[in-house]
Amino acid sequence: EIYFKSDTDRKSFAAYAIRKGYKQNRLTESKTTPTAYGIVISKFSPVKMEEINTMTAELKKEARKHNGVYSGWNAAKK
């Protein structure tokens, strides 16, 4: 999940993620944290560690551009 300080930041990041081939799975909101606006995205592709590291670094960098915090990734069966 990736967390943002505003819905505007989250929407800007979501537009970026969709352009990069990610699917928006879920939006979350919490009234108790400063980064209250969350988004869960997914992208199905073969698991290759070097590609995961590159994708993770790219998502972290882009999240920071939108005042966000990237909390990591999970693997799932398709």
Side-chain angles (χ1 to χ4, degrees):
E1 192 158 357
I2 306 162
Y3 301 96
F4 300 90
K5 294 180 180 180
S6 74
D7 186 45
T8 301
D9 288 332
R10 177 175 62 183
K11 285 178 181 175
S12 295
F13 177 84
Y16 161 83
I18 290 167
R19 282 193 312 273
K20 296 298 267 180
Y22 290 88
K23 177 184 173 191
Q24 178 180 306
N25 295 87
R26 178 170 40 105
L27 300 176
T28 62
E29 290 186 24
S30 169
K31 299 191 186 308
T32 61
T33 64
T35 51
Y37 298 90
I39 185 171
V40 176
I41 59 175
S42 64
K43 186 175 191 178
F44 291 100
S45 63
V47 178
K48 295 179 182 173
M49 195 48 123
E50 63 277 358
E51 289 178 21
I52 290 172
N53 291 338
T54 300
M55 290 174 13
T56 299
E58 184 178 284
L59 290 173
K60 283 181 183 179
K61 181 178 177 182
E62 192 65 26
R64 280 193 299 271
K65 287 182 185 177
H66 299 278
N67 304 306
V69 177
Y70 177 67
S71 68
W73 65 275
N74 292 313
K77 287 184 178 181
K78 186 171 180 181

